[in-house]
Amino acid sequence: MIEDFSNTLVTATPFLLGSLWFTITISAMSIVIGTAIGLLLGLASAYGGWVTRFLVRIYVDIVRGIPGLVKIFTVFYLVNALLSEVAGFTLSAMACGVVALSIHASAQVSEMARGAIQALSKGQAEAGKAIGLRFWQVQFYVIYPQAIRQILPTWVTSSTEIVKGTTLLSLISVPEFFITIRELAAREFLYIQFYGFAMIVYFLLNFSIELLGAHLERRYSRY
Amino acid sequence: MNIHRNLGLAGLATATLIAIAPVMAAAQQTESKLYEVIERGHLIFGTGSTNVPWHFVDEKNELAGFDVDMGKILARALFDDETKIEYIRQAPDARIPNLLTNKTDFTCQFMTINTARAQKVEFTLPYYREGVAMILNKKGPYPDRASIDKALADGKKIRVAVLQNADVEDTVHDVIEGVEIDQYEEQGLVFEALDTGRADGGIVDLSNVLWLSKKFPERYAHGGDGEKASSYGCAVKPGDQVWLNFINTALREAMNGRDFDVYAASFEEWFGVRPPAPKIGFPIENR
């Protein structure tokens, strides 16, 4: 059985690498887009008027209250159907996956950013203003570097959730890594071996994100 | 006067309807999925990728299996080229939603024909008649049916694994009585339970048992069949008779007509036996 597994692994390496690259691409895009949107939403809920804060609150509560798989199906079927009706085009399965995971990430990051900004003492922003910095300069030079340091540990957790969330995308026909593993396991009837291999690969992927988070944490620790 | 005028208008309307009826019919026909697919130049075919011998990924990373061959038969009928297919690899749960939202043109994915599903999609002619059977682990404590029957007679508990389904108890008891049932979400997990000793036997499709006991004779044994049969059919979105008729024509001719050799070769490859050839003369499907 071990020999069957290693032989299959060798012959399937190009396909496994291809689908792993797919998983990495989708994860990276979702994390980057989700983080960018989340930071903006966090800023809006920390500094916005009550209408803005109310709208962001509704968005975050709705997104956090819906399971990841339901979000994926909603974008793939419902949003695509609406797009087709209204705009005459549809999103590819991969784009739907990125949109769903980005929405998921944005709600998480939004709350992290809001919490981190509000945790900083008001004196920080006032000191920035006192030396003549404009609002965006205060945010960029004073608030964000300190807030990012606060956000990083939970951001790493959220990002690893996104990587794990990509395994659900095979349900909307995205050829990600885990479906390739399942295909090989089903063909060779070597389920334990291939699932064990997938466990190691996902651990390494998420461990890399943790290392990146630790590196960024060190970098921002001077603030 | 009014009567005459009304009669005249009615006559004019009738004449107009008669005149435009063929045009309307032609317009309806050109709206069929059949013409959309022909114009697009390839078929969007929904099937799975994790169930041998129905639909799985081979060593070249290409889809293969009996379901896949049904798609190729249709592509050949449409374009005289079995490669003109865009495959959508889908989970069983996605078969109907993908059809209804036009993500696939048609689906062949070991789909049991039943009346509940027939309210949502339209089935083609059946292309396979499936049964259930028990698979046993030759390296486990119960390597054959006799050892299972003896254990049951001695009052021992026997646990079988089966894919989750609405009528799963009936399915299992069709093959063997008096056993405990563990349900699994995916067929692969049934085999995994059998391999790891969490189940003493697995109740799966007969075609799976035949394939596995042929491919891995040292690992798996055939532990008896059930009596009930179910039909597998491809499916399309409802309301397009032209498209359904075309697919049925392609399948019927593959099973009973001039394309029989293609169907028979596929059947033999995946199930190990060649189906009986249609006899010249009286059409086999009318028997």
Side-chain angles (χ1 to χ4, degrees), chain B residues 65-209:
Chain B
F66 196 59
D67 282 331
V68 176
D69 286 345
M70 295 305 107
K72 288 179 179 174
I73 283 171
L74 184 56
R76 202 177 293 117
L78 283 160
F79 308 110
D80 201 21
D81 183 350
E82 66 176 33
T83 65
K84 297 266 174 106
I85 300 177
E86 177 188 341
Y87 292 101
I88 302 292
R89 297 180 188 186
Q90 59 192 11
D93 291 354
R95 291 176 296 197
I96 292 176
N98 280 354
L99 280 175
L100 298 182
T101 54
N102 289 316
K103 295 192 191 314
T104 53
D105 297 327
F106 98 124
T107 281
C108 264
Q109 193 174 352
F110 62 6
M111 199 168 180
T112 305
I113 297 176
N114 64 40
T115 48
R117 285 178 178 153
Q119 292 174 26
K120 305 284 181 200
V121 291
E122 281 177 328
F123 284 105
T124 64
L125 296 170
Y127 60 91
Y128 188 78
R129 190 133 293 144
E130 184 62 285
V132 287
M134 182 157 65
I135 187 162
L136 299 170
N137 184 351
K138 275 194 175 173
K139 292 172 183 167
Y142 306 107
D144 51 40
R145 180 60 183 259
S147 58
I148 290 254
D149 288 341
K150 185 175 182 309
L152 283 171
D154 292 346
K156 286 185 182 164
K157 280 185 181 173
I158 295 293
R159 188 174 293 276
V160 297
V162 64
L163 183 69
Q164 269 176 10
N165 222 325
D167 51 357
V168 73
E169 297 223 346
D170 289 344
T171 305
V172 171
H173 294 150
D174 188 29
V175 183
I176 186 165
E177 296 276 359
V179 292
E180 293 186 7
I181 300 169
D182 281 347
Q183 296 189 47
Y184 290 88
E185 204 175 42
E186 212 179 283
Q187 187 123 306
L189 299 176
V190 173
F191 297 116
E192 194 188 310
L194 185 65
D195 284 351
T196 54
R198 278 181 286 123
D200 302 312
I203 303 296
V204 292
D205 287 347
L206 174 61
S207 56
N208 282 122
V209 179

Side-chain angles (χ1 to χ4, degrees), chain A residues 64-136:
Chain A
R64 288 203 308 187
I66 298 172
L69 186 57
V70 177
K71 280 196 274 271
I72 290 166
F73 281 159
T74 303
V75 174
F76 189 61
Y77 290 114
L78 189 65
V79 174
N80 251 352
L82 289 172
L83 276 176
S84 170
E85 200 67 36
V86 175
F89 74 92
T90 55
L91 297 173
S92 68
M94 181 185 169
C96 289
V98 171
V99 169
L101 293 177
S102 299
I103 288 171
H104 181 82
S106 70
Q108 309 287 339
V109 174
S110 162
E111 282 299 271
M112 292 171 210
R114 183 185 61 81
I117 291 168
Q118 288 177 342
L120 292 172
S121 77
K122 286 187 179 172
Q124 299 281 333
E126 283 164 5
K129 281 182 205 164
I131 59 168
L133 297 179
R134 292 169 188 273
F135 176 79
W136 287 110

Side-chain angles (χ1 to χ4, degrees), chain B residues 56-73:
Chain B
F56 65 99
V57 176
D58 66 13
E59 285 78 4
K60 296 177 199 154
N61 201 33
E62 287 169 2
L63 280 173
F66 196 59
D67 282 331
V68 176
D69 286 345
M70 295 305 107
K72 288 179 179 174
I73 283 171

Side-chain angles (χ1 to χ4, degrees), chain B residues 31-33 120-122 236-244:
Chain B
E31 281 170 16
S32 168
K33 178 72 81 180
K120 305 284 181 200
V121 291
E122 281 177 328
V236 294
K237 187 178 178 178
D240 190 343
Q241 197 59 48
V242 175
W243 181 224
L244 183 62

